[in-house]
Amino acid sequence: MTHAIAPCILIVEDDPDTAEAMAQAACDVGADPVVRCSYAGGLAAAAGAEFAVIMFDRMLPGGDGVDAIAKLRAAGSTALVMVVSALGRAANKIEGLEKGADDYLAKPFDPDELRARLRALLRRKAMVALDNDVMVFGDLEIRLKARTVHIGQAHVALSPKEFELITYFARNAGETVTRMQLLEHVWNLHFDPQTNVVDVHVGRLRRKLEAVAGRAVIHTARGQGYVFDPQREGAA
Amino acid sequence: MTHAIAPCILIVEDDPDTAEAMAQAACDVGADPVVRCSYAGGLAAAAGAEFAVIMFDRMLPGGDGVDAIAKLRAAGSTALVMVVSALGRAANKIEGLEKGADDYLAKPFDPDELRARLRALLRRKAMVALDNDVMVFGDLEIRLKARTVHIGQAHVALSPKEFELITYFARNAGETVTRMQLLEHVWNLHFDPQTNVVDVHVGRLRRKLEAVAGRAVIHTARGQGYVFDPQREGAA
DNA sequence: GATCACATGACAAGTCCCGTCATGTGATCA
DNA sequence: TGATCACATGACGGGACTTGTCATGTGATC
């Protein structure tokens, strides 16, 4: 499961009423809409954040949304692209689909159909994420199936126990996790072994993460336990 | 990269001329079409093989293709589904999309548009595969990024060296691989160590695969080397 | 039957992982 | 400031796994 953050949908549309209807459809399917009204503004927004779906009009101030697709892909974007356009003949659809759009909807559109197609695209998007059970915290990414951790492009080499630890921490991100919780859920022990096994292992994990991230990722809550918060600034 | 096997597209359509046009479009986009003319026949075909895309008509002898989607999903199918139907009003499209279709095309369709939409679906299908660099041989699946091997639903536990071996074999599937090739590419040795290290390791890998697959996967080419062919019948 | 190619069982060495222990460091309190 | 406690870190040893080697059994060919 992708960490519980609503997907973002970028809408690039110069007609305010149409943009409004598209934003409403995005909200209706549980996504956060971000609206831009020009070709350049749309490209800039796409470069600045992760979007699950990008909806482009064709005749925009500054360019044709279909031409933006190659630019998005060249920049590494994996967003699914829906073109929404008054250019609705089959030839227009074919051109858009062949230039890399994932769906093409002609204007004027039925809002219910737009919603249904957005849901279908988001289902598709979820397939990739579900296939790897990804948890993302800024530049820190945990792939549960592949059992890998990356910070930015850098792979963090973890032992099996360290991976179990960070998984438990990630599932309780931002909350204080006690040593007894870790003993129960990571070591499957329901008593105190009277050793500092938890401290030692958490220390190992911390040093590996800090070496790559260049900042503290696991913080000590003195007298309580630890807090996993990769996006907090400052020392442990 | 998915191993160079053409994707299969299942077409469930009772009108022969339409089925023919759809099969032609599938061929045109580089896929192998499999055609069925009844609802039950379509479901049976879907259960019997892996399809990248399944195209269902709605008014089929025996049922409505839209109703098949839930059955496909319950059976674990990850095929993308396109509904192609004379029922082409927005309400029909919405119903199909909300019942899980990935795309919906009204009849009569423009063959070029059908092709473009098939390509878009296959691109999406490739997204999932690319994310894990999957090599598939029938029921045997190698995920290069996760470094896992599954036969059907069963995980095959391989050591690092065994995984390197099967990867090299898979990249040369169906061809005879010599011991010297394996020494060079898997062991990075460019001389004969005068031991039977290759034989021993290949033997270990073979026994693990055969234990799960219930059939020989790696075959001996006497005096030459080995052939990786998981889909061949018969002993080694 | 002899010889060669290949398969398999067993062993030893190296590496990694994990837990324990001892001790150093930092925080808190009287 | 010193004592005490909480936590961090370095080091060690044992167990598990991986890998390569060797010896020998088995099958194929002549």
Side-chain angles (χ1 to χ4, degrees), chain A residues 23-118:
Chain A
Q24 185 62 51
C27 290
D28 291 344
V29 299
D32 294 331
V34 174
V35 181
R36 293 290 182 274
C37 56
S38 73
Y39 179 84
L43 280 183
E50 278 293 313
F51 292 99
V53 175
I54 303 182
M55 300 163 69
F56 262 112
D57 186 14
R58 296 213 49 184
M59 301 179 290
L60 291 166
D64 179 350
V66 163
D67 295 330
I69 300 176
K71 290 184 174 21
L72 293 176
R73 300 293 180 231
S77 171
T78 58
L80 296 180
V81 179
M82 178 192 286
V83 176
V84 182
S85 170
L87 300 177
R89 300 166 57 133
N92 303 123
K93 293 183 186 180
I94 291 160
E95 182 193 14
L97 291 163
E98 301 210 330
K99 289 196 173 178
D102 297 284
D103 201 0
Y104 194 114
L105 188 63
K107 295 176 181 173
F109 54 79
D110 177 317
D112 289 343
E113 184 177 350
L114 174 59
R115 263 198 300 276
R117 285 186 181 272
L118 277 182

Side-chain angles (χ1 to χ4, degrees), chain A residues 154-209:
Chain A
H155 171 65
V156 188
L158 300 184
S159 71
K161 184 69 70 177
E162 287 157 7
F163 188 82
E164 303 291 342
L165 257 183
I166 196 170
T167 300
Y168 187 78
F169 274 130
R171 288 194 168 117
N172 298 276
E175 296 161 24
T176 302
V177 173
T178 66
R179 281 175 181 72
M180 274 311 307
Q181 277 176 289
L182 292 173
L183 283 167
E184 285 185 41
H185 297 282
V186 179
W187 277 269
N188 207 26
L189 294 180
H190 301 280
F191 60 91
D192 179 356
Q194 302 289 327
T195 71
N196 63 346
V197 59
V198 169
D199 307 69
V200 170
H201 280 272
V202 172
R204 285 177 178 152
L205 175 60
R206 294 168 85 157
R207 284 191 286 281
K208 285 186 177 178
L209 294 174

Side-chain angles (χ1 to χ4, degrees), chain A residues 2-10 26-27 29-34 50-53 118 121-123 125-126:
Chain A
T2 302
H3 196 58
I5 298 179
C8 290
I9 294 184
L10 174 61
C27 290
V29 299
D32 294 331
V34 174
E50 278 293 313
F51 292 99
V53 175
L118 277 182
L121 286 183
L122 290 172
R123 279 199 307 267
K125 192 67 182 170

Side-chain angles (χ1 to χ4, degrees), chain A residues 78-80 89-91 93-105 110-117 119-121 123-125 127-128 131-132 134 143 145-146 148, chain B residues 73 78-81 89-91 93-94 96-105 110-117 119-121 123-125 127-128 131-132 143 145-146 148:
Chain A
T78 58
L80 296 180
R89 300 166 57 133
K93 293 183 186 180
I94 291 160
E95 182 193 14
L97 291 163
E98 301 210 330
K99 289 196 173 178
D102 297 284
D103 201 0
Y104 194 114
L105 188 63
D110 177 317
D112 289 343
E113 184 177 350
L114 174 59
R115 263 198 300 276
R117 285 186 181 272
R119 282 201 193 94
L121 286 183
R123 279 199 307 267
R124 289 292 121 253
K125 192 67 182 170
M127 269 183 67
V128 177
D131 200 44
N132 271 299
V134 182
R143 293 183 173 233
K145 286 197 176 176
T148 59
Chain B
R73 299 295 180 229
T78 57
L80 296 180
V81 179
R89 301 164 60 131
K93 293 183 186 179
I94 291 160
L97 291 163
E98 302 209 329
K99 288 196 174 178
D102 297 285
D103 202 358
Y104 194 114
L105 187 64
D110 178 315
D112 289 342
E113 183 176 352
L114 174 60
R115 263 197 300 275
R117 286 186 180 272
R119 282 200 192 95
L121 286 183
R123 281 199 306 266
R124 277 192 242 169
K125 191 66 181 170
M127 271 181 65
V128 176
D131 200 44
N132 269 302
R143 293 182 173 232
K145 287 197 176 177
T148 59

Side-chain angles (χ1 to χ4, degrees), chain B:
Chain B
M1 85 260 6
T2 301
H3 192 59
I5 296 180
C8 289
I9 294 184
L10 175 61
I11 296 158
V12 192
E13 166 64 60
D14 59 331
D15 174 58
D17 290 341
T18 306
E20 175 67 33
M22 288 156 80
Q24 186 60 52
C27 289
D28 291 344
V29 300
D32 294 331
V34 174
V35 181
R36 293 291 182 272
C37 58
S38 74
Y39 178 82
L43 280 183
E50 279 292 315
F51 291 100
V53 176
I54 302 181
M55 300 163 70
F56 262 112
D57 187 14
R58 296 211 52 181
M59 301 181 290
L60 291 166
D64 178 350
V66 163
D67 294 330
I69 301 176
K71 288 183 173 27
L72 293 177
R73 299 295 180 229
S77 172
T78 57
L80 296 180
V81 179
M82 178 192 287
V83 177
V84 182
S85 169
L87 299 178
R89 301 164 60 131
N92 304 121
K93 293 183 186 179
I94 291 160
E95 181 192 16
L97 291 163
E98 302 209 329
K99 288 196 174 178
D102 297 285
D103 202 358
Y104 194 114
L105 187 64
K107 294 175 182 173
F109 53 79
D110 178 315
D112 289 342
E113 183 176 352
L114 174 60
R115 263 197 300 275
R117 286 186 180 272
L118 277 182
R119 282 200 192 95
L121 286 183
L122 290 172
R123 281 199 306 266
R124 277 192 242 169
K125 191 66 181 170
M127 271 181 65
V128 176
L130 276 172
D131 200 44
N132 269 302
D133 274 340
V134 182
M135 299 172 83
V136 181
F137 304 89
D139 61 343
L140 188 148
E141 178 176 279
I142 304 172
R143 293 182 173 232
L144 298 179
K145 287 197 176 177
R147 297 182 70 86
T148 59
V149 175
H150 289 83
I151 299 182
Q153 300 300 310
H155 170 65
V156 188
L158 301 183
S159 71
K161 184 69 70 178
E162 286 157 7
F163 188 82
E164 302 290 342
L165 256 183
I166 195 172
T167 300
Y168 187 77
F169 274 130
R171 289 195 167 115
N172 298 276
E175 296 162 25
T176 302
V177 172
T178 66
R179 280 174 182 74
M180 274 311 307
Q181 278 178 288
L182 292 172
L183 283 168
E184 285 184 41
H185 297 282
V186 179
W187 275 269
N188 206 29
L189 294 180
H190 301 279
F191 59 91
D192 180 355
Q194 301 291 326
T195 72
N196 64 346
V197 59
V198 170
D199 307 71
V200 171
H201 280 271
V202 172
R204 285 176 179 153
L205 175 60
R206 295 167 85 156
R207 284 190 287 279
K208 285 187 179 178
L209 295 174
E210 291 181 24
V212 175
R215 66 186 187 272
V217 174
I218 296 173
H219 310 270
T220 307
R222 190 176 173 85
Q224 298 174 62
Y226 302 102
V227 183
F228 177 80
D229 192 343
Q231 297 173 73
R232 186 200 300 181
E233 295 295 344

